[in-house]
Amino acid sequence: MMYSRLIGSGSYLPEKVLTNEELESMVDTDHDWIMARTGIAERRIAADDEFTCDLAEKASKAAIKAAGVSAQDIDLIVVATTTADQVFPSTACLLQHRLGIEGPPAFDVQAVCAGFMFALDIADKFIRTGSASCALVVGAETFSRIIDWSDRRTCILFGDGGGAVVLKADQQPGILSTHLHSDGRFKDLLCVPAGISRNYQAIQSGTAFTTMEGSEVFRWAVTAMADLVDETLAANSLDKEDVDWLIPHQANVRIINAVGRRAGFPAEKVIVTVEHHGNTSAASVPLALDESIRDGTIKPGDLVLMEGFGGGFTWGSALIRI
């Protein structure tokens, strides 16, 4: 049987830093209030001439280099994003061209903050079925473009960034299992209530912004991600003690800490990187993964449980042996 193994990771954050102190001059808030409620000290903001594909390209090139493969070895590209450069072609096709790859399938996945988990699941199934042998999986967002910077409920949370991994076919298990869920009943609790087909006037006027019912999203995110831990462990006949690291979606520290407590993980086994990049939606999990691999926190052979939760609602997890 063929499996997919993670052989390289990469990430990229825009140069521009937006601190809490700078937000104080933009909206009714202050550093201590933001830190107490989110644990976010700063977030990165894409430059005016910097787009989602730019972030994806830089993260992808870092992942390809780390994997020790050529771009020409890639035979599948899946990009998770909510903030595509264009209506079409897909950001994945734009990225494919940037990388000089011709021919293999390239497409986007839209599951917001859980998008990377959905993209990873798809690429894993391509490899397991023999439809691909070397896949590039990317989460990239310029989420700052859909934020109302006068709304302190949302503007303090989100930032821009990109993360990527390369998966390769292997006879030894790397991705042990993936688990995906969605529930459209809660579509209005976290959304951008505009699009190309519906309420397109908001797109034209530049007022298509993220709206969020914070307390409801918090409750559902904590419950769903804690339950995902149990589901993932049960599917693999493992106990919590068998897992070396938990990487929850980097939404805010309160959610991350609550998920860890509810799932029974000690704080020292929960990866937290949100303080310096904020919630980067589909990019948050691969960003945290890459940073933790590169700084030596996560080591070869470690068992890592990753999970995301986003608007839709969508939620998903993956258990990976590094």
Side-chain angles (χ1 to χ4, degrees):
M1 183 175 180
M2 195 59 66
Y3 299 93
S4 57
R5 286 194 71 85
L6 191 155
I7 62 168
S9 65
S11 59
Y12 174 75
L13 290 169
E15 291 185 9
K16 182 180 178 180
V17 177
L18 180 62
T19 66
N20 292 343
E21 288 77 11
E22 290 174 290
L23 278 175
E24 291 176 4
S25 65
M26 299 166 57
V27 69
D28 182 19
T29 191
D30 62 66
H31 172 76
D32 292 340
W33 188 89
I34 296 173
M35 288 298 296
R37 286 158 179 78
T38 72
I40 299 169
E42 61 185 37
R43 65 288 296 147
R44 300 297 184 95
I45 305 298
D48 290 344
D49 60 351
E50 191 172 37
F51 310 107
T52 297
C53 190
D54 297 316
L55 278 55
E57 179 187 5
K58 291 176 181 177
S60 296
K61 287 182 175 178
I64 291 169
K65 181 178 180 180
V69 299
S70 161
Q72 303 311 312
D73 295 319
I74 303 295
D75 57 7
L76 172 68
I77 300 174
V78 188
V79 174
T81 187
T82 306
T83 53
D85 282 25
Q86 303 172 205
V87 175
F88 65 87
S90 69
T91 302
C93 281
L94 302 179
L95 174 63
Q96 182 184 45
H97 175 64
R98 297 270 190 96
L99 297 175
I101 302 170
E102 299 176 2
F107 54 89
D108 289 356
V109 172
Q110 215 288 55
V112 204
C113 300
F116 181 75
M117 312 315 305
F118 278 61
L120 197 70
D121 171 271
I122 293 168
D124 178 52
K125 287 181 169 57
F126 263 77
I127 289 176
R128 285 177 182 252
T129 59
S131 299
S133 62
C134 189
L136 176 64
V137 184
V138 184
E141 303 279 16
T142 47
F143 219 82
S144 61
R145 307 275 161 81
I146 53 171
I147 294 299
D148 179 356
W149 292 97
S150 67
D151 179 6
R152 76 170 186 172
R153 296 171 300 176
T154 56
C155 74
I156 64 173
L157 295 172
F158 293 96
D160 303 331
V165 299
V166 175
L167 303 180
K168 192 170 179 60
D170 198 302
Q171 293 185 341
Q172 296 298 316
I175 297 182
L176 302 181
S177 69
T178 54
H179 307 267
L180 304 181
H181 300 279
S182 301
D183 195 332
R185 291 179 298 165
F186 305 103
K187 58 184 175 58
D188 296 326
L189 297 183
L190 176 57
C191 67
V192 175
I196 301 304
S197 180
R198 180 185 181 191
N199 295 339
Y200 67 91
Q201 294 89 349
I203 299 288
Q204 293 176 318
S205 64
T207 57
F209 298 132
T210 300
T211 64
M212 180 175 66
E213 299 296 331
S215 60
E216 285 294 298
V217 172
F218 178 94
R219 180 171 66 87
W220 275 100
V222 171
T223 301
M225 288 201 289
D227 289 348
L228 268 175
V229 171
D230 294 335
E231 177 184 349
T232 305
L233 294 176
N236 292 277
S237 300
L238 295 172
D239 297 321
K240 294 179 180 68
E241 293 72 23
D242 298 316
V243 177
D244 295 296
W245 300 102
L246 175 67
I247 305 182
H249 168 47
Q250 304 293 300
N252 67 62
V253 164
R254 290 179 62 221
I255 289 179
I256 293 169
N257 290 343
V259 169
R261 288 193 302 269
R262 181 164 177 153
F265 274 83
E268 59 268 21
K269 294 180 69 173
V270 180
I271 299 293
V272 182
T273 61
V274 70
E275 179 179 3
H276 62 266
H277 59 64
N279 182 346
T280 55
S281 187
S284 81
V285 170
L287 271 169
L289 174 67
D290 180 60
E291 180 174 320
S292 301
I293 290 174
R294 289 178 183 270
D295 70 12
T297 300
I298 295 177
K299 298 175 174 59
D302 282 356
L303 190 61
V304 179
L305 199 166
M306 306 185 297
E307 54 181 359
F309 179 91
F313 285 147
T314 59
W315 62 103
S317 68
L319 186 66
I320 297 185
R321 179 74 67 184
I322 301 298

